[in-house]
Amino acid sequence: MKLKAAAAIILLAIAIVAVGSVIVSPFGTSPTQYLTSAVVRTTVAQQAVASGSIRSAATYDLAFGASPVLELVTPASGGSGGLVWLVRTVKVKTGDHVTRGAVLATADTTAATASLQLAKAGLAAAKARLAVDGAGTSGADRAAAYGAILQAQQQLGLARQTGSVTSQQDTLQVRQAEAAVQAARARLTADQTAPPSTVTIQADQAAIVAAQQQVDTLTLESRAADSQAAAVAQANTLKVNQAQATLQAAQAKLGLDLVAVSPPDAATIVADRAAVTQAQQQLDTANLELASASTQASQSAGLNALKVSQAQAALQAAQARLAADQTAGPSVATVQSDQAAIVTAKQQLDSVKLSIKASATQAAGQVSSAALSLSIAQNGYASKVVSPSAATIASDKSAVVGAQETLRLAQVTLDGATLRSPVDGIVVAVNVVAGAAAPPGVDVAVADASLQVTATVTETDLPSLKLGQGADVSLTALGVTATGTVVSISPTGSIPGSGGVVTYPIVLALVAPPAGTSSGMSAQVSITTAHAQNVLAVPTIALNGGAGQYTVRVLDRSGTPQDRSVQAGLITATLAEIKAGLAVGDLVVTGTVAPLAGTSTSGGGLPGLLPAAPNNGGGGG
């Protein structure tokens, strides 16, 4: 309210400047007329002005199975839990006002409940495992460990027996690999000299026959459709003629009854007119059927012609393919496939040879591995007769923590089957329908009822802006002014594509938005960046000089201007604060008037003013 009062005082001061006073100097043959303004005590305020628009303070995207997500740039993705949500109820529509916690929509919870029960079972199993390990090994565990020793002893004996069998198998694999290499080379030679395969030619010929049959079939269908359309048109034309005849007969009977010597009763006339109306309706219906059949026949003929054209193109393509295959040699793909088969066969042979060389080592390794397994089983038996290690207990506890987190997420998913508004706001999107599965992405979106203003300021205004500064927000559509507070100042500026002044985005929170304020409305913002209250002030145009050294021209009692040094404070585009050098009521010169000239400058925009002296002063705005 103080800033609004200050603004009112500024406007009054500007009005005083605009009116001013004209003082005529008595000296000289052509007296000089001075435009003056009295020094006043008022408030000098500097403001940053910007244009912007109203928007919601935040928009929340809601999806079944997930917590609400604040929409920043793009909508959130779909709900969690990997479930398909069948929507049961939708309680809101776009544009509805809702309160925090209000139910927006619900979904079937069968799958989510099953996931929750499964997570509970997993947690119970993890806790049971921890309890068992914490209690130590049982007799059954020790017996199982002893059985593992016996099994390892059997595996060691089997590894020793299979050594010779492995050698025989390796020899057989070498012979088979060599035969595969020879067969692959023979296949390549045969394919390089062979004509096109009979299968390919037969396939091409079969494709031509099928394409020709398709052309014939479509041609017959097109002719049949044309015949049918003609028959339908003839039948509809007959219906129209019959309806016309019926209408004419009804009209004739009505005319005869109306002019009869002995007029019939009123019921007969009513019946005649009803017959005429019915006959007219039948004629209109017949005409509509005739026109509809004609349109449908035209569309069907066009579609049939397109199908025949496509079938003929397919036939020509099949014929071209046959001609190409009949003159072509072996395909590149076939030769490449044969060459690849040779490479593969050689690689297989090399692999088998390496396997033979390593077979003895492998057999020895198997024996060593079996011996190692026996040693491990023996150590395992030894470990079973002692309590579980600290590492085992730690692993069990970690598994319990993981199962608890899985249970928590399952509970969140189940809770997400009911969508509730996270704020007081307005529903801006509803993408679900009761009885259908919820689509991927956002199901319901709610905009916060709190409103903000987004605007941009120039780079010259940016240094004077601070968070928390008050502002007047003029809502163009409503014709009212609201109060705002600066809540965000972007540190990154942008330049328009065509070049120009660098601007920076800012955000202001609206305090008690007026009734009817809606997102998207235009707004004019005035931010008071500096002000001096109850100070002496003169029009800025009266200042001369710069860089902190200012003078003004003050009229003495004789009407003669005298230069006087002043100490200036806050300087705006219209008013300048005077800290020292002037007193209330002093008259400062703001311009001169040429008495016989028709042109003028300076002096608060009034005609006929000329500057008293070069004005190098000024201030921000």
Side-chain angles (χ1 to χ4, degrees):
M1 294 301 294
K2 292 182 179 179
L3 295 182
K4 290 183 178 179
I9 295 173
I10 292 171
L11 292 177
L12 179 60
I14 293 173
I16 294 173
V17 173
V19 175
S21 301
V22 176
I23 306 298
V24 179
S25 174
F27 301 99
T29 58
S30 179
T32 301
Q33 297 180 350
Y34 296 99
L35 183 69
T36 63
S37 179
V39 177
V40 297
R41 184 171 295 278
T42 183
T43 296
V44 179
Q46 181 170 302
Q47 293 182 323
V49 180
S51 298
S53 61
I54 306 297
R55 73 173 188 185
S56 175
T59 298
Y60 293 88
D61 294 333
L62 290 84
F64 286 113
S67 300
V69 177
L70 181 62
E71 182 179 306
L72 299 176
V73 179
T74 57
S77 59
S80 64
L83 303 177
V84 175
W85 295 94
L86 179 63
V87 181
R88 282 188 172 179
T89 61
V90 179
K91 299 183 178 295
V92 294
K93 61 182 181 298
T94 301
D96 284 353
H97 290 262
V98 294
T99 57
R100 178 184 178 91
V103 175
L104 309 177
T106 61
D108 183 77
T109 60
T110 302
T113 301
S115 297
L116 180 63
Q117 296 302 324
L118 183 62
K120 289 181 178 179
L123 177 60
K127 289 181 177 179
R129 180 64 183 174
L130 175 61
V132 170
D133 288 343
T137 57
S138 63
D141 292 334
R142 291 190 291 273
Y146 182 73
I149 293 177
L150 298 179
Q151 184 179 5
Q153 289 174 339
Q154 294 175 352
Q155 290 175 347
L156 177 59
L158 181 62
R160 290 169 177 169
Q161 292 176 1
T162 56
S164 60
V165 176
T166 300
S167 177
Q168 295 175 359
Q169 291 176 344
D170 290 342
T171 302
L172 178 60
Q173 288 179 358
V174 169
R175 293 175 182 174
Q176 292 174 341
E178 289 174 343
V181 173
Q182 294 175 356
R185 288 173 176 171
R187 179 62 181 172
L188 174 61
T189 302
D191 285 341
Q192 287 175 334
T193 58
S197 68
T198 303
V199 174
T200 301
I201 299 302
Q202 289 176 346
D204 291 343
Q205 291 172 341
I208 292 175
V209 171
Q212 183 63 57
Q213 290 175 347
Q214 181 69 6
V215 171
D216 295 340
T217 299
L218 292 175
T219 301
L220 289 175
E221 290 178 353
S222 178
R223 292 174 181 173
D226 292 341
S227 298
Q228 184 179 1
V232 171
Q234 184 177 3
N236 288 332
T237 301
L238 179 59
K239 289 182 180 180
V240 171
N241 293 334
Q242 290 174 345
Q244 288 175 340
T246 302
L247 176 61
Q248 292 171 357
Q251 290 173 338
K253 186 175 182 308
L254 175 60
L256 291 174
D257 288 342
L258 290 175
V259 299
V261 178
S262 298
D265 55 12
T268 300
I269 298 301
V270 171
D272 290 345
R273 288 177 175 166
V276 171
T277 301
Q278 182 178 6
Q280 182 64 53
Q281 292 175 346
Q282 291 176 347
L283 176 59
D284 294 341
T285 301
N287 282 324
L288 288 175
E289 290 178 351
L290 178 60
S292 176
S294 176
T295 301
Q296 184 175 1
S298 176
Q299 294 176 346
S300 178
L303 180 60
N304 289 334
L306 177 61
K307 289 181 178 179
V308 170
S309 175
Q310 292 174 340
Q312 289 173 342
L315 175 60
Q316 292 174 357
Q319 291 171 339
R321 179 62 181 174
L322 174 60
D325 287 341
Q326 286 176 334
T327 58
S331 67
V332 175
T334 300
V335 174
Q336 290 178 344
S337 176
D338 292 343
Q339 292 172 340
I342 293 175
V343 172
T344 301
K346 287 182 178 179
Q347 292 174 346
Q348 182 66 22
L349 177 59
D350 294 339
S351 177
V352 170
K353 288 180 178 179
L354 289 175
S355 178
I356 290 176
K357 292 180 181 179
S359 61
T361 303
Q362 182 179 5
Q366 290 176 347
V367 172
S368 299
S369 177
L372 178 60
S373 297
L374 176 58
S375 176
I376 292 173
Q378 291 171 339
N379 292 333
Y381 176 77
S383 66
K384 292 296 182 180
V385 298
V386 297
S387 300
S389 65
T392 299
I393 299 301
S395 177
D396 291 345
K397 290 181 178 179
S398 176
V400 170
V401 173
Q404 289 173 336
E405 176 63 14
T406 300
L407 178 61
R408 186 190 68 81
L409 294 177
Q411 185 64 56
V412 170
T413 300
L414 178 59
D415 294 340
T418 299
L419 299 184
R420 298 180 182 275
S421 177
V423 292
D424 294 343
I426 301 174
V427 178
V428 295
V430 177
N431 300 322
V432 291
V433 178
V442 178
D443 296 329
V444 179
V446 178
D448 196 325
S450 301
L451 296 177
Q452 295 179 335
V453 181
T454 59
T456 56
V457 296
T458 62
E459 58 185 340
T460 56
D461 288 332
L462 182 68
S464 61
L465 295 183
K466 296 179 181 179
L467 296 179
Q469 285 177 328
D472 291 334
V473 180
S474 176
L475 301 176
T476 307
L478 302 179
V480 298
T481 299
T483 301
T485 303
V486 178
V487 297
S488 174
I489 304 173
S490 174
T492 304
S494 62
I495 303 176
S498 58
V501 178
V502 179
T503 59
Y504 292 79
I506 64 172
V507 179
L508 300 93
L510 273 185
V511 180
T517 306
S518 299
S519 180
M521 285 185 172
S522 299
Q524 298 295 324
V525 178
S526 298
I527 305 171
T528 301
T529 58
H531 70 282
Q533 292 182 331
N534 194 28
V535 297
L536 298 181
V538 298
T540 303
I541 196 173
L543 291 179
N544 298 295
Q549 302 294 323
Y550 294 101
T551 63
V552 297
R553 303 181 71 192
V554 182
L555 289 185
D556 58 18
R557 292 184 179 181
S558 65
T560 303
Q562 304 291 335
D563 289 338
R564 185 181 299 179
S565 297
V566 295
Q567 180 182 355
L570 176 63
I571 301 176
T572 72
T574 55
L575 291 178
E577 176 191 1
I578 301 300
K579 293 185 174 181
L582 294 175
V584 173
D586 287 345
L587 294 180
V588 295
V589 177
T590 59
T592 60
V593 178
L596 299 179
T599 60
S600 62
T601 61
S602 185
L606 294 179
L609 303 183
L610 293 174
N615 186 355
N616 299 322

